């Protein structure tokens, strides 16, 4: 990313003016389009707002941009000989389409992380770089010869990876399957997207857990689905709730995350699993079982997934490499009946023509290598250590200010705040102090909940100071 | 892929029965679902149909499957204790959704290539393995240390790759741009998908070339767009045609492939390019310029892309690594105004959370390495040699039977057949003889056109025999 050169003899504002002139000249900002605000540019480039004002004045003086009070700064149309009334309104296109933008809080968080790389990050739901098997993956890349054909891949994904997953799923998840039942996707995100876009129709009703990371995914709304809530916590009357939703709203599919549920960390017991399968089979409703966290279980292994107990064939199972190794590989997988896998593979070809073969080869090698088991063991220990550091910091910095259930696996701590607080205000106060988290309302809960991803700070030693900053923000934001 | 073991003492039909039992047991084929037909299974497993009939009889005798005349073979429902009336109808889900399946001819071609790997392939629109820089890429993977963070990537794509593309675009395509104007996508396919899904709304009208590879992409229809034809060949009245479409149908966007257009190989001249830009700017209609083939130009370089001449900011430019190096890397790029790039990057996050960083790193290194120029030179010579081999074979085997314009770049030859022929019949006759091509109707033309991708046969020495087989098929299929 371009930044002004502070050692140059050329004044900063002139460098910025030249930089903006270049971006305008190459149509990044076409005639008539809106430039980013002075405040936003100042944050992006790490300068004072007055420097941006000077740069804008420079560009205004040569007729390249025009500012109007209240409507921002635009690229001049006359400058380029374009008749104003016909100038292409790109913003209209950017706001068109039936695809919803991301949740505003998540956009704000992404923006803050982009602008302030030093933020202590409890928000991004992924592993820190130090928890990923970076060296092992490098070693595999150096050792192995990639002689495979670098053409378009099999639509269901690279065959040796699917074969490696058959063994992996049998060994770690008690799932007996075949490579022809597996579809490789770009993380579990793409599995969910394919299901929402291609197996359901606009207007269809689906059940999702409440709270649930599904609320953070506008893809469901973009697909025109009606979402109904299934409370995560209660086990009493849980099955009756499903029956009621089916009867009243005709729900067509249930989305679940039974192991260390995101965000609450809930682990479903065997009784709940059996009940779920029974009711799904009885009512003929498919369950989408998303299972990214089960291999992180700290102490004792988790119960078998629904898919392993699914004699009725009601379950689509989704797994991922992201939360147990490296999200940047973008490798996830779906295990589903033949008709579903073939349909989704065909649809995915139209969207992106499949995944790159290289990361698929690397993941296939990693899963079958002697590196995998020790990596998992180290990961579990490190996550447990991070969880303990977080709980210790919470006890020290926030005594009596929040309640939680200590998670036995996964990457997240879900907390209820005792003081009354407005989510947006708390988030801004936290960002100002150098720490970021996800407000619970992103997951569909009311204000006053927080998700801390303890797996994500660069170093576990950031956890204590991060919580101290959060505690300050909470005291400031509380009514 | 599983195949029966011909050296085993166990009879083939028993091996197949056991294999199917396993796939049924693991819910690849859930209770009540349809098994593949006897014919299809026989083709897939490379056995006689009678062997499949024996295997089915075996499974029927243990009550695992049921066959009904005219409705195929299904997995028993009673066997698994599922009440038939409630059994989950996966097929209903597979047929739901608002996403259209691929064009039938393309599905047939993919199936044939899957089942008969020895087919001479003039159909897949990509480079042969021998034309890809496989060794160079391996070398780069061995030499370089991938120390980068393997977490989620920047939503617009890996920054060093975008920086490499700024230099690449300036050097090879005369396009002056900035890394913040670039979005990395999974090939050009994903660029087109994002534009169709996120910038346009169902019911919107767009203009595409006739014939055009766009017709082979059901993604436009899946997005609910109305497609209007802009004839590729005629230059007379071309601009009037655009004005007419805008006036009559209110078209919102124009999709073009001005360099060695797919499938016709047409190269737009400077006059056409200027006219296009003028009319787009005058009417305020964006042009999507897809430019995957320009670097393959055999003799003289192609004119600058529309994007390089686009002072009005009307053009979204799409490029790709697929047709100049390796489609299996799945790296494409879009250059567009800021508002568009930000919007599409946000939407793409919801679909697949971005691309793997590894292939992006490799492509960034390759484009800036000393390997790139010699690779391009070799590629051009080899493509030219393949084109000449194809034209020679056509002259020998099909004298007077087809007409064409010899392409000066790209991967394809577009032919009009002189004899009257039915596309489907010709394709089946060709597959039976061991060669496959794409019928022109896939691209929206009438019956009697053919696209030969001479870049794709494994070895240029396959081109002659492939055309000989095609000539036989044509003689058989002609009325």
């Amino acid at each position: 990313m371009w930044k002004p050169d502070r050692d140059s003899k050329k004044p900063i504002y002139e460098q910025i003016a030249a930089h903006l002139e270049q971006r305008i000249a190459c149509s990044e900002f076409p005639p008539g389009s809106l430039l980013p605000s002075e405040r936003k540019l100042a944050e992006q480039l790490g300068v004072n707002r007055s420097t941006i004002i000077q740069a804008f004045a420079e560009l205004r003086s040569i007729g390249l941009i025009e500012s109007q009070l209240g409507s921002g700064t635009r690229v001049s149309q006359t400058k380029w000989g374009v008749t104003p009334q016909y100038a292409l309104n790109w913003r209209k296109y950017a706001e068109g389409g039936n695809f919803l933008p991301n949740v505003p809080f998540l956009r704000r968080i992404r923006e803050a992380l982009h602008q302030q790389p030093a933020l202590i990050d409890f928000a991004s739901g992924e592993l820190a770089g130090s928890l990923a098997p970076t060296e092992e993956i490098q070693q595999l890349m150096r050792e192995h010869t990639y002689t495979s054909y670098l053409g378009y891949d099999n639509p269901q994904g690279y065959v040796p990876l699917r074969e490696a997953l058959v063994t992996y799923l049998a060994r770690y998840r008690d799932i007996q399957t075949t490579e022809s039942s597996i579809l490789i996707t770009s993380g579990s995100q793409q599995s969910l997207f394919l299901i929402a876009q291609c197996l359901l129709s606009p207007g269809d009703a689906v059940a999702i857990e409440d709270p649930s990371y599904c609320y953070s995914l506008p893809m469901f709304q973009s697909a025109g689905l009606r979402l109904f809530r299934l409370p995560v916590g209660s086990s009493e009357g849980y099955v009756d709730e499903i029956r009621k939703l089916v009867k009243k709203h005709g729900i067509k599919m249930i989305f679940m995350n039974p192991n260390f549920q995101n965000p609450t960390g809930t682990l479903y017991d065997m009784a709940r699993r059996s009940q779920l399968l029974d009711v799904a089979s009885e009512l003929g409703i498919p369950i989408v079982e998303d299972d990214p966290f089960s291999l992180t279980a700290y102490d004792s292994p988790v119960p078998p997934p629904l898919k392993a107990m699914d004699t009725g064939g009601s379950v689509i199972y989704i797994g991922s490499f992201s939360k147990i190794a490296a999200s940047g590989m973008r490798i996830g997988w779906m295990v589903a009946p033949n008709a579903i896998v073939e349909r989704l593979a065909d649809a995915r070809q139209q969207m992106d023509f499949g995944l790159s073969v290289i990361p698929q080869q690397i993941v296939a090698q990693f899963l079958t290598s002697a590196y995998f088991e020790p990596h998992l063991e180290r990961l579990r220990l490190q996550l447990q250590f991070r969880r303990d550091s977080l709980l210790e910091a919470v006890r020290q910095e926030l005594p009596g200010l929040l309640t939680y259930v200590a998670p036995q696996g996964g990457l997240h701590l879900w907390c209820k705040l005792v003081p009354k607080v407005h989510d947006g205000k708390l988030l801004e106060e936290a960002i100002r102090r150098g720490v970021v988290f996800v407000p619970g309302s992103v997951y569909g809960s009311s204000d006053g909940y927080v998700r801390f991803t303890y797996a994500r700070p660069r170093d576990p030693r950031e956890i204590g100071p991060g919580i101290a900053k959060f505690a300050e923000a909470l005291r400031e934001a509380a009514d």
Side-chain angles (χ1 to χ4, degrees), chain A residues 207-458:
Chain A
I208 63 178
E209 295 165 307
D210 173 26
S212 162
Y213 70 100
C214 289
Y215 284 102
S216 68
L217 306 176
M219 66 160 89
F220 289 100
Q221 286 97 328
S222 294
L225 306 180
R226 292 177 299 137
L227 305 181
F228 294 95
R229 291 161 183 257
L230 211 48
V232 166
S234 68
S235 59
E236 284 292 313
Y238 187 79
V239 167
D240 290 340
E241 196 57 39
I242 293 179
R243 277 185 223 283
K244 216 157 67 188
L245 288 178
V246 171
K247 200 168 162 192
K248 196 165 168 193
H249 304 291
I251 59 164
K252 287 256 173 69
M253 206 175 265
I254 304 173
F255 290 83
M256 315 238 96
N257 185 199
N259 298 314
F260 314 121
Q261 197 256 0
N262 183 359
T264 64
T266 307
L267 183 65
Y268 287 20
D269 60 21
M270 279 301 280
R272 160 98 48 121
R273 288 170 204 250
S274 300
Q275 285 169 356
L276 271 167
L277 283 172
D278 288 348
V279 75
S281 162
E282 180 198 319
L283 300 173
I285 307 283
I287 297 178
V288 176
E289 178 183 30
D290 191 10
D291 187 29
F293 305 118
S294 53
L295 263 62
T296 62
Y298 308 148
D299 300 313
S300 46
V302 300
L306 299 176
K307 183 73 186 171
M309 307 155 63
D310 174 35
T311 50
S314 306
V315 178
I316 295 178
Y317 178 87
I318 298 175
S320 170
F321 194 67
S322 296
K323 313 298 181 185
I324 56 168
S327 49
M329 301 300 278
R330 307 306 308 123
I331 298 291
W333 45 87
M334 180 194 298
V335 184
N338 183 272
I340 300 300
V341 163
E342 288 196 347
R343 172 81 177 92
L344 298 184
D346 184 74
R348 199 260 304 275
Q349 288 293 94
Q350 299 176 42
M351 298 175 180
D352 59 21
F353 239 103
L355 303 184
S356 174
V357 286
I358 307 252
Q360 296 188 80
Q361 289 174 342
I362 295 169
V363 171
Q365 284 166 1
F366 183 67
L367 291 179
T368 51
S369 76
Y371 295 132
F372 186 54
E373 267 291 338
H375 162 71
L376 272 187
E377 278 169 38
R378 202 190 60 199
L379 175 67
R380 288 188 196 114
L381 286 173
Q382 290 181 325
L383 285 174
Q384 199 170 5
F385 176 73
R386 282 167 173 259
R387 177 201 62 181
D388 293 342
S389 305
L390 177 62
L391 296 183
E392 177 59 27
V394 162
R395 272 190 293 271
Q396 294 225 349
E397 303 286 345
L398 295 155
L401 292 181
L402 44 80
T403 60
Y404 57 83
V405 177
Q408 302 305 311
L411 323 185
H412 315 295
L413 178 73
W414 177 248
C415 305
K416 182 173 182 358
L417 303 174
V418 174
K420 262 192 82 122
V421 68
H422 179 262
D423 274 8
K425 190 172 172 197
L426 178 59
L427 181 63
E428 290 305 327
E429 291 295 342
I431 290 172
R432 196 202 313 246
R433 284 170 179 78
V435 63
V436 70
F437 61 91
V438 183
S441 57
V442 165
Y443 307 111
S445 75
S446 55
D447 272 28
Y449 287 84
V450 163
R451 189 191 79 172
F452 290 115
T453 301
Y454 46 83
R456 186 58 188 83
R458 267 162 302 251

Side-chain angles (χ1 to χ4, degrees), chain A residues 7-64:
Chain A
D7 299 331
S8 159
K9 277 185 200 145
K10 199 171 175 183
I12 305 276
Y13 81 92
E14 278 187 21
Q15 292 181 45
I16 293 174
H19 165 73
L20 288 174
E21 188 173 351
Q22 187 203 352
R23 291 172 71 178
I24 291 168
C26 73
S27 290
E28 179 174 348
F29 299 101
S33 69
L34 208 58
L35 287 179
S37 70
E38 290 162 359
R39 185 194 57 79
K40 195 170 169 185
L41 272 175
E43 278 188 20
Q44 278 176 0
L45 302 177
V47 299
N48 288 327
R49 191 163 155 185
S50 59
T51 313
I52 303 293
I53 292 174
Q54 262 185 299
F56 275 10
E58 184 86 1
L59 296 173
R60 212 177 293 115
S61 73
I62 56 170
L64 196 59

Side-chain angles (χ1 to χ4, degrees), chain A residues 90-107:
Chain A
W90 281 110
R91 198 153 288 271
K92 188 185 73 193
Y93 286 88
E95 285 160 6
N98 50 358
F99 223 83
L100 298 174
N102 250 317
V103 177
F105 275 145
L106 295 181
R107 287 154 64 103

